[in-house]
C-alpha cells in the first residue's frame, strides 16, 4: 500500500460513536506518565516497560483502539459466533497501519481444577511468552485494575467494553522498546473470549465453575514498522479525535 492508500484506509474506517454508557463519563486531565506504566484502552489492558518512548506508547494505544472501535462497529464483540470475524478485522486494521500481525488462532484454556480465575488464566497465558519482569508488570496492571471501584470512570470504560451478561471479549498486552531502541516497538498481545452461565460482574476476578465456563485465548508477538506507521500516525490521531480521551486512561501501578 502507498502512503495515500494507507491514509485513505484510516479515513474510511467507521469507528462509530462513543458508547452511550460512557458519553457522560467525567474524566480528569491526566499527567503524562513516566517509568513502567499501564492503561485501560477500551477493551484492552495495556502495560509498558520503562523504556517505551512516549510516542510509541501513544502509537500502541491509538492503533489498538482504532482496530477495536472499527471491529466493534462491524461485529458484535460479545457474540461467540462473531469472534473470529471480529479478530480477523482487528488484525487487518493493525496490519494495514504498520503492525506485522498474524491471524489469532484460538484454543481452549484448560483449568487445572474444578474452578478457574480469568486473571490467573491471563497470567498463565502470558507467562509462556513474557520475561519475568514484563509478566510482573502485567500482574501489576491487573492489580491496579482490580483496585478501582466499580464507579471509577476507567473501570466503567473497561466494564462496558469487555463483557455483557454472559460473554466477554478482551485483550491484555505488554509493550517494550526492543533492546532499548526506540525505533523497535514490540507488543506481546493476547486476546480472550469468555462464555459462562455465571455472573460476569468484575469477571476477571471471579472463581468460575470450569464445567459451566469456556475461556478461549490466543497470543502473538508483533513489532511496529515505524516507517509505515509514521505515514498514518496523524491520520489515526485525527480519526480517533476525542475518543482517544474517552476510552484511554492511565492506571496507577
Amino acid at each position: 500500500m502507498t502512503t495515500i492508500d494507507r491514509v485513505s484506509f484510516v479515513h474510511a474506517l467507521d469507528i462509530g460513536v462513543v458508547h452511550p454508557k460512557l458519553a457522560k463519563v467525567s474524566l480528569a486531565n491526566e499527567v503524562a506518565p513516566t517509568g513502567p506504566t499501564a492503561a485501560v484502552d477500551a477493551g484492552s489492558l495495556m502495560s509498558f516497560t520503562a523504556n517505551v518512548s512516549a510516542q510509541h506508547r501513544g502509537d500502541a494505544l491509538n492503533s489498538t483502539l482504532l482496530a477495536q472501535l472499527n471491529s466493534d462497529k462491524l461485529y458484535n464483540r460479545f457474540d461467540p459466533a462473531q469472534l473470529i470475524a471480529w479478530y480477523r478485522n482487528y488484525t487487518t486494521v493493525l496490519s494495514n497501519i504498520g503492525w506485522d500481525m498474524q491471524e489469532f488462532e484460538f484454543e481452549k484454556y484448560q483449568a487445572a481444577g474444578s474452578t478457574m480465575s480469568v486473571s490467573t488464566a491471563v497470567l498463565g497465558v502470558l507467562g509462556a511468552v513474557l520475561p519475568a519482569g514484563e509478566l510482573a508488570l502485567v500482574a501489576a496492571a491487573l492489580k491496579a485494575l482490580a483496585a478501582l471501584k466499580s464507579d471509577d470512570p476507567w473501570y466503567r470504560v473497561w466494564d462496558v467494553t469487555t463483557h455483557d451478561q454472559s460473554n466477554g471479549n478482551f485483550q491484555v498486552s505488554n509493550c517494550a522498546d526492543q533492546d532499548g531502541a526506540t525505533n523497535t516497538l514490540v507488543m506481546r498481545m493476547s486476546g480472550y473470549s469468555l462464555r459462562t452461565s455465571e455472573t460476569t460482574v468484575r469477571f476477571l476476578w471471579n472463581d468460575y465453575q470450569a464445567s459451566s465456563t469456556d475461556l478461549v485465548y490466543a497470543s502473538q508477538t508483533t513489532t511496529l514498522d515505524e516507517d509505515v506507521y509514521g505515514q498514518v500516525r496523524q491520520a489515526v490521531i485525527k480519526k480517533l479525535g476525542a475518543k482517544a480521551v474517552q476510552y484511554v486512561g492511565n492506571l496507577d501501578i
Side-chain angles (χ1 to χ4, degrees):
M1 296 176 71
T2 66
T3 298
I4 293 176
D5 289 337
R6 294 184 193 279
V7 172
S8 297
F9 171 79
V10 171
H11 287 328
L13 294 175
D14 189 343
I15 60 173
V17 299
V18 173
H19 194 289
K21 290 185 178 180
L22 302 176
K24 295 183 179 180
V25 172
S26 177
L27 303 177
N29 292 326
E30 297 189 333
V31 176
T34 58
T37 63
V40 169
D41 184 33
S44 292
L45 179 63
M46 308 278 290
S47 57
F48 303 85
T49 59
N51 70 342
V52 175
S53 67
Q55 178 170 282
H56 272 170
R57 187 179 186 277
D59 293 345
L61 291 168
N62 288 340
S63 59
T64 52
L65 178 61
L66 182 75
Q68 286 181 78
L69 294 180
N70 180 242
S71 294
D72 285 346
K73 181 63 178 180
L74 297 175
Y75 305 100
N76 179 356
R77 72 186 290 161
F78 306 133
D79 180 356
Q82 299 185 50
L83 176 71
I84 299 303
W86 191 97
Y87 272 101
R88 183 174 293 120
N89 185 77
Y90 178 81
T91 57
T92 296
V93 172
L94 291 177
S95 294
N96 285 346
I97 60 177
W99 291 96
D100 62 337
M101 296 292 298
Q102 306 296 320
E103 286 195 12
F104 281 95
E105 296 184 4
F106 286 88
E107 57 184 291
K108 184 175 180 178
Y109 177 79
Q110 300 295 333
S114 60
T115 62
M116 59 173 285
S117 162
V118 176
S119 59
T120 299
V122 168
L123 292 174
V125 169
L126 287 174
V129 297
L130 286 177
E134 293 180 29
L135 182 63
L137 185 53
V138 173
L142 286 165
K143 183 177 180 180
L145 184 61
L148 298 181
K149 296 181 178 179
S150 295
D151 61 353
D152 182 276
W154 295 122
Y155 193 83
R156 289 178 62 187
V157 170
W158 171 262
D159 195 51
V160 165
T161 55
T162 54
H163 72 100
D164 60 13
Q165 291 184 343
S166 59
N167 299 290
N169 176 358
F170 63 99
Q171 302 81 46
V172 181
S173 303
N174 183 75
C175 297
D177 275 341
Q178 192 173 59
D179 299 324
T182 56
N183 63 341
T184 309
L185 177 62
V186 179
M187 179 163 56
R188 293 179 174 88
M189 60 193 317
S190 55
Y192 305 85
S193 176
L194 174 71
R195 188 174 187 179
T196 181
S197 60
E198 303 179 48
T199 177
T200 56
V201 175
R202 299 189 77 89
F203 71 94
L204 278 176
W205 303 279
N206 284 349
D207 284 330
Y208 294 99
Q209 292 297 317
S211 60
S212 61
T213 303
D214 286 326
L215 179 68
V216 299
Y217 69 93
S219 64
Q220 62 177 289
T221 299
T222 177
T223 58
L224 183 65
D225 186 323
E226 177 68 26
D227 291 336
V228 172
Y229 194 76
Q231 299 170 22
V232 298
R233 181 177 288 113
Q234 293 306 313
V236 171
I237 292 171
K238 182 177 180 180
K239 186 69 178 183
L240 290 173
K243 294 183 181 69
V245 177
Q246 203 74 32
Y247 284 102
V248 181
N250 300 324
L251 294 173
D252 186 12
I253 60 172

